[in-house]
Amino acid sequence: MYDIKWIRENPEEFDKGLVRRGFEPHSAKVLELDKKYRSLQTDLQDMQSRRNDLSKKIAEAKKNGEDADVLMHEVSSLKSGMADIDEEVRSVCEQIEKVLEILPNRPADDIPDGLDDSTNRVVRTWGEPRKFDFKPLEHDELGEKLGLMDFEQAAKVSGARFVYLKGDLAKLERALAQYMLDMHTEKHGYCEMEVPLMVNSSAVYGTAQLPKFAEDLYKTTDGYWLIPTAEVSLTNFFAGKILDEEKLPLRVTALTPCFRSEAGAAGKDTRGMIRQHQFYKVEMVAITTPEKSWEEHEHMTNSAEDILKGLNLPYRVMCLSAGDMGFSSRKTHDLEVWLPGQDKYREISSVSNCWDFQARRMDARCKSKNQKGTRYVHTLNGSGLAVGRTLVAVMENYQQADGSILVPEALQKYMNGKKVITTYK
RNA sequence: GGAAAGAUGGCAGAGUGGUCGAAUGCGGCAGACUCGAAAUCUGUUGAUAGGCUUUGCUUAUCCGAGGGUUCGAAUCCCUCUCUUUCCGCCA
């Protein structure tokens, strides 16, 4: 959510950001409503002030045993006009909110222009894609050949975009999640959390999946939303709070299933585990002061990269263009892992600095001891990593000619020392 | 699911129709005392929005949320949410 005061002072910048995102300029309309709102509010406050004065006089008159009927009538007539203005103030305020709540965050200055992924910029590349002396398979083919991945039965039980994992492959996924959490908690300074998977509307509004993206989410019969990412639960942990600036940054992480309807993804990634309605993800969230959020963005990106480095999976870091970023983000780094089966880099993590955009929506603030007043915190979130997609990457990168899969060294301790995954017996 | 009691500032906790944005205590901040610290004493200390003659002044709103009654609501009425305790059920 934008700060109306900031728009008042920087209308051109506001519009410029929107245009970079592929949106129409909105400052003229917003400022017109804002002007109306403020003038109405002043009128209303004047009336309220008069009412309060008269009420005090009535109290005094009654205390002195005087007659207060005339005064009381005066307030009554004053009140009849107040209700209308009150209604108008509320309506204009709502109109402003309706406009602002569906506008995306302002892109940072240093990110590429462009409305889609074609102008995303490569920030850095790590690792050499492995040379195969056989034709590498895609993960779903590998998994099914091993008898450890079953899409067919999942389709019967649930439908498209679900999977069963069996035996060592199921265990490998669990090992991956554990490895990620251990890295983040022991090495990167995150606090592990166990979080709600079902949340209410105001939480989803806070992280800005609502009101605009309701069709991407699952809703229960009694009105809960299934989280599409632990970002919702983790970030809202700080909703409505005033945090000590001295204690920031706060870093939290959680392993959760994520639920997505994939409403707009018909025909995309229909095979395999890349795009499922339900998948595990380790999410990182950081809360910082306004001064420290860019620094924290780098730290979080590095934390995600560390996971891939530890698994020796080649990847590159992309800086997303203005129009390709998520709604709440000012700057997003995507980590793309090399998938030999697909012969391309695929997104495995997305690390975003949301600035004060979500903090305003969920009223998360911070306060310094030597400072008057409060400020909105900056929120950041990033996948660290998408567990299902990491499993895919491990399978494709560590496959052998006979169809077996080597267990990356970093995961062996989570697999009881097992070094290779073969057919289920 | 049934019954009862609650929700007040950073925290604890008074306040049942009229200078109540709210006593008191703790905490925080500033000062005094001290070589320094502790203890003690004194003062100070909420948020949001608007206006202005803008390091300040002023107006409004905020006592779980939303409505209502009233000249006036933390206080009375209604709805909702949450918490606690007891009973029931349950991984």
Side-chain angles (χ1 to χ4, degrees):
Chain A
M1 187 69 93
Y2 281 90
D3 177 8
I4 187 81
K5 250 189 276 177
W6 180 84
I7 298 176
R8 230 178 265 155
E9 286 155 18
N10 306 277
E12 315 79 22
E13 248 186 281
F14 173 61
D15 284 338
K16 199 180 113 200
L18 289 176
V19 170
R20 287 186 77 198
R21 284 263 192 175
F23 280 68
E24 293 291 312
H26 276 72
S27 70
K29 188 177 180 193
V30 170
L31 290 180
E32 188 198 317
L33 284 169
D34 178 53
K35 205 171 163 191
K36 195 170 160 195
Y37 171 70
R38 285 191 291 163
S39 120
L40 282 167
Q41 195 191 16
T42 304
D43 292 349
L44 180 66
Q45 287 186 0
D46 285 347
M47 293 171 106
Q48 286 171 324
S49 178
R50 255 184 291 161
R51 179 203 59 194
N52 291 346
D53 278 350
L54 287 170
S55 289
K56 267 179 202 166
K57 279 188 191 145
I58 291 169
E60 221 159 295
K62 289 207 165 180
K63 214 196 273 174
N64 300 334
E66 292 161 18
D67 184 49
D69 280 4
V70 180
L71 288 167
M72 278 160 74
H73 269 102
E74 206 176 323
V75 183
S76 288
S77 59
L78 184 66
K79 265 184 37 171
S80 62
M82 269 171 69
D84 290 345
I85 296 196
D86 189 41
E87 186 50 46
E88 235 182 308
V89 168
R90 218 179 286 200
S91 145
V92 176
C93 185
E94 254 169 54
Q95 285 175 53
I96 295 172
E97 234 167 64
K98 279 254 160 59
V99 174
L100 291 184
E101 70 189 4
I102 53 169
L103 293 178
N105 202 355
R106 179 171 60 104
D109 291 338
D110 64 341
I111 68 168
D113 282 321
L115 297 180
D116 55 40
D117 60 8
S118 63
T119 52
N120 291 352
R121 182 204 307 142
V122 179
V123 178
R124 55 183 166 263
T125 304
W126 185 92
E128 275 295 313
R130 172 183 155 198
K131 303 264 187 297
F132 286 83
D133 47 15
F134 58 94
K135 182 171 177 358
L137 299 179
E138 292 196 43
H139 71 281
D140 51 313
E141 207 178 332
L142 264 170
E144 284 180 323
K145 274 193 175 163
L146 286 168
L148 299 178
M149 212 177 240
D150 192 334
F151 292 98
E152 216 172 292
Q153 190 61 22
K156 282 182 191 158
V157 174
S158 295
R161 298 199 191 281
F162 288 93
V163 70
Y164 280 101
L165 299 183
K166 282 168 67 180
D168 283 338
L169 206 53
K171 192 168 189 167
L172 188 66
E173 187 175 42
R174 180 157 58 87
L176 273 168
Q178 201 140 324
Y179 158 71
M180 291 175 193
L181 283 171
D182 284 352
M183 286 274 275
H184 294 320
T185 54
E186 286 159 25
K187 221 178 134 191
H188 304 139
Y190 287 82
C191 172
E192 183 171 348
M193 308 272 283
E194 159 86 29
V195 301
L197 306 181
M198 294 154 69
V199 297
N200 62 29
S201 295
S202 77
V204 189
Y205 181 88
T207 37
Q209 283 82 12
L210 285 183
K212 212 175 176 182
F213 306 102
E215 73 276 9
D216 296 332
L217 307 173
Y218 288 109
K219 195 175 189 180
T220 68
T221 49
D222 51 355
Y224 289 110
W225 302 89
L226 301 187
I227 57 168
T229 156
E231 168 198 343
V232 179
S233 311
L234 285 173
T235 312
N236 275 287
F237 180 72
F238 304 97
K241 289 183 176 166
I242 300 175
L243 305 161
D244 282 350
E245 280 196 17
E246 286 72 20
K247 289 182 184 152
L248 302 182
L250 291 168
R251 298 178 182 139
V252 289
T253 183
L255 165 69
T256 69
C258 303
F259 303 95
R260 299 187 182 177
S261 73
E262 297 297 344
K268 243 193 228 172
D269 301 311
T270 46
R271 273 183 53 216
M273 271 184 78
I274 292 286
R275 196 174 297 275
Q276 304 255 289
H277 287 307
Q278 169 202 325
F279 60 95
Y280 280 104
K281 180 159 59 64
V282 170
E283 181 75 1
M284 304 173 283
V285 161
I287 308 294
T288 78
T289 58
E291 291 77 25
K292 285 192 206 153
S293 68
W294 289 127
E295 187 187 321
E296 191 66 21
H297 190 235
E298 283 306 311
H299 177 273
M300 190 176 277
T301 305
N302 293 336
S303 300
E305 289 180 68
D306 238 18
I307 301 293
L308 290 172
K309 285 179 183 166
L311 295 170
N312 205 24
L313 292 171
Y315 68 89
R316 61 183 189 182
V317 180
M318 306 295 287
C319 181
L320 298 196
S321 71
D324 199 33
M325 289 193 302
F327 186 75
S328 299
S329 182
R330 286 205 68 194
K331 182 176 184 177
T332 296
H333 285 150
D334 267 13
L335 266 56
E336 296 183 343
V337 71
W338 177 252
L339 294 186
Q342 290 198 12
D343 196 32
K344 54 175 120 150
Y345 285 101
R346 290 299 308 256
E347 177 189 343
I348 199 167
S349 169
S350 199
V351 182
S352 300
N353 184 353
C354 298
W355 208 249
D356 60 1
F357 192 79
Q358 294 178 324
R360 282 177 191 287
R361 294 172 87 104
M362 66 175 70
D363 192 29
R365 289 170 290 165
C366 62
K367 186 179 168 68
S368 168
K369 277 199 174 105
N370 349 302
Q371 210 173 20
K372 231 178 130 67
T374 60
R375 301 193 289 168
Y376 286 102
V377 297
H378 282 191
T379 67
L380 299 95
N381 64 76
S383 3
L385 310 162
V387 181
R389 287 189 181 182
T390 312
L391 181 72
V392 167
V394 168
M395 290 173 74
E396 294 196 10
N397 281 279
Y398 282 83
Q399 62 181 296
Q400 303 190 93
D402 66 356
S404 65
I405 296 162
L406 291 175
V407 177
E409 214 181 307
L411 299 181
Q412 287 173 10
K413 71 165 170 172
Y414 299 103
M415 296 284 291
N416 294 329
K418 186 163 259 194
K419 292 193 166 67
V420 58
I421 292 172
T422 51
T423 310
Y424 181 73
K425 290 162 228 77

